[in-house]
Amino acid sequence: MTILVTGARGHVARSLVQRLLAAGRARVPAVRAAGRNPGAARLPAGVETVLCDLAEPDTFDAALAGVTRVFLYAERRGLDDFVTRAASAGVEHIVLLSALLADPASTDAIGRMHGDAEQAVARSGIAWTFLRPGAFATNTLQWAPSVRAEGVVRDPFPDSRSAPVHEADIAAVAALALTEPGHEGATYPLTGPELVSRRRQAELIGEAVGRPVRFAVQDLDEYRAELSAWTTPQVADVVIKESAAAVDRPMPPTDTVEKVTGRPARTYGEWARDHASDFRDESS
């Protein structure tokens, strides 16, 4: 059995590769990591890496050769062709990293894109498992430069609440779905164990790095401009709308991580401690 892990440079993919390797050869004979620039992935020595870009169908066949199971990021571009090639290559199971509000009929760009991706995988005839994380704890790494330089988090929504999920918990569920029977056809909503405001997240980062981190309320137009630097205006609008709604109507936490893995989901405080080096000014 060879498992193909796409998105090799992503936090979830890297955590998943490490977890699969730790499972040992009795359960996971081979792990292959793939991405647009696999050479840039920070992976353990000896892990096979291969080019696989969903925008470049010519890269699919080599990546899929001998593969029986795939961990797949929900990149809608090229996905139909990829799952068709995967079926032809003999892939038996796809674990798709989707989103909590995935829905092909959604009016927001994020939910619709992930819903379309789920439909494409379901249509392939390959057994599937859908992982639907809510807020990624790693999204708050966007604060790292200002925390290192100034000890400050800037965001327009100090009281917006979410239950950020640790990438290691997503990877733990993915690893079980890829290596154990019984997860086919399952949809897993994944969150952290508790609601945490963004102001409290800044405090927890400060506790992790050992110095106070203050919260500064950011101008909304400035925030929108920052979002637009890495995504589309439609996605930026969704992020802002959901952040504002989560002040009074946050999405409740789920207990899926604990039900699937047998251990409680990690808290945001644990995530901050695991990533303290990302926020710490090592020169001070």
Side-chain angles (χ1 to χ4, degrees):
M1 176 175 67
T2 296
I3 296 175
L4 177 69
V5 178
T6 69
R9 289 184 294 165
H11 288 90
V12 176
R14 294 203 307 270
S15 184
L16 175 58
V17 167
Q18 292 168 352
R19 185 168 291 270
L20 291 171
L21 293 176
R25 288 194 168 274
R27 289 175 57 190
V28 186
V31 178
R32 180 181 299 157
R36 294 189 183 110
N37 185 10
R42 293 175 293 168
L43 297 171
V47 174
E48 180 189 4
T49 59
V50 63
L51 173 65
C52 184
D53 185 344
L54 290 184
E56 300 291 341
D58 289 345
T59 66
F60 296 168
D61 291 341
L64 288 165
V67 166
T68 53
R69 301 184 184 188
V70 175
F71 175 77
L72 184 63
Y73 277 71
E75 169 66 56
R76 190 65 188 92
R77 178 182 54 175
L79 192 59
D80 290 289
D81 197 3
F82 180 85
V83 296
T84 297
R85 301 278 190 99
S88 297
V91 170
E92 300 169 358
H93 189 187
I94 292 176
V95 175
L96 179 73
L97 185 63
S98 184
L100 192 59
L101 298 179
D103 180 357
S106 176
T107 58
D108 78 65
I110 298 174
R112 187 170 59 253
M113 185 274 285
H114 287 92
D116 287 345
E118 289 184 355
Q119 284 196 330
V121 171
R123 285 194 302 264
S124 71
I126 301 171
W128 52 263
T129 305
F130 297 152
L131 308 186
R132 290 182 174 177
F136 285 78
T138 51
N139 287 347
T140 58
L141 287 171
Q142 65 187 316
W143 297 334
S146 64
V147 170
R148 289 194 300 266
E150 308 168 67
V152 64
V153 163
R154 292 186 179 85
D155 188 277
F157 302 102
D159 300 314
S160 184
R161 294 175 293 159
S162 61
V165 61
H166 197 304
E167 69 274 11
D169 286 330
I170 302 173
V173 174
L176 291 175
L178 288 163
T179 59
E180 294 183 353
H183 301 279
E184 296 85 354
T187 298
Y188 291 135
L190 304 175
T191 73
E194 59 187 358
L195 291 171
V196 189
S197 72
R198 294 185 183 176
R199 190 186 302 275
R200 178 58 179 153
Q201 289 172 24
E203 292 173 353
L204 289 167
I205 292 169
E207 292 175 12
V209 300
R211 67 185 179 109
V213 172
R214 65 183 179 88
F215 193 101
V217 178
Q218 186 179 27
D219 176 80
L220 186 59
D221 287 339
E222 179 183 292
Y223 181 66
R224 187 188 300 275
E226 288 181 358
L227 291 176
S228 298
W230 60 266
T231 190
T232 65
Q234 293 83 2
V235 170
D237 286 343
V238 171
V239 171
I240 291 170
K241 180 180 177 181
E242 291 182 351
S243 297
V247 173
D248 297 316
R249 301 184 304 279
M251 296 294 294
T254 71
D255 60 357
T256 310
V257 170
E258 184 168 11
K259 285 183 174 178
V260 176
T261 68
R263 61 170 302 280
R266 295 165 175 86
T267 66
Y268 185 81
E270 289 177 272
W271 178 88
R273 290 191 292 275
D274 289 343
H275 288 268
S277 61
D278 293 311
F279 294 96
R280 188 176 287 124
D281 181 2
E282 301 296 348
S283 66
S284 60

